[in-house]
Amino acid sequence: MHVLLDENLDWRLVRYFDADFQVTTVSRQGWKGKRNSELLQQAEAAFDVLVTMDRSIEHQQNLSKYNIGVILISARSNRIQNIQPAMLRVNEVLREVQPGQVIYVTADTS
């Protein structure tokens, strides 16, 4: 499975994905600064899932029309120590997410 990590997430999170996922970042793809619609169009051609913290993406885009799943992480901030607690659940839902679907994952830091 090919996973794209959005630019609003720390690239070091790549280390927390299970080994059977091929993960890269928006920055490594040279897609930094792209609008969500353009990013989704390019990403759906090469990736199965976009992992992001961009809550506006689901309101700005009709995600069901894209051939890519989206995992939306909710955390106190995008700092790695605030997101890392969500990574176990992210790895679980990566196995379930379907194209056009949004799955929400909350980082429980309590």
Side-chain angles (χ1 to χ4, degrees):
M1 176 176 285
H2 294 89
V3 179
L4 182 63
L5 197 61
D6 203 356
E7 66 184 283
N8 59 11
L9 293 168
D10 192 308
W11 65 269
R12 294 173 293 179
L13 283 173
V14 169
R15 301 176 194 151
Y16 295 98
F17 286 88
D18 289 349
D20 47 332
F21 300 124
Q22 295 178 313
V23 184
T24 193
T25 66
V26 165
S27 183
R28 281 193 198 139
Q29 289 295 116
W31 296 343
K32 203 169 178 178
K34 292 204 179 288
R35 293 170 123 356
N36 284 338
S37 59
E38 189 179 359
L39 175 64
L40 288 164
Q41 284 177 330
Q42 289 187 309
E44 72 179 341
F47 295 92
D48 302 298
V49 181
L50 171 68
V51 178
T52 186
M53 280 189 75
D54 184 355
R55 289 186 207 141
S56 66
I57 197 168
E58 66 181 321
H59 303 293
Q60 295 173 349
Q61 305 299 317
N62 176 5
L63 296 174
S64 64
K65 77 176 192 176
Y66 294 100
N67 192 29
I68 188 169
V70 176
I71 296 177
L72 187 57
I73 298 174
S74 176
R76 184 179 313 148
S77 78
N78 66 348
R79 295 174 62 195
I80 196 166
Q81 60 266 36
N82 291 325
I83 298 170
Q84 191 274 329
M87 293 307 297
L88 179 62
R89 182 71 181 135
V90 168
N91 282 294
E92 290 172 358
V93 299
L94 274 170
R95 294 168 185 1
E96 304 167 9
V97 67
Q98 299 296 312
Q101 181 183 28
V102 180
I103 296 181
Y104 305 89
V105 175
T106 301
D108 184 7
T109 57
S110 55

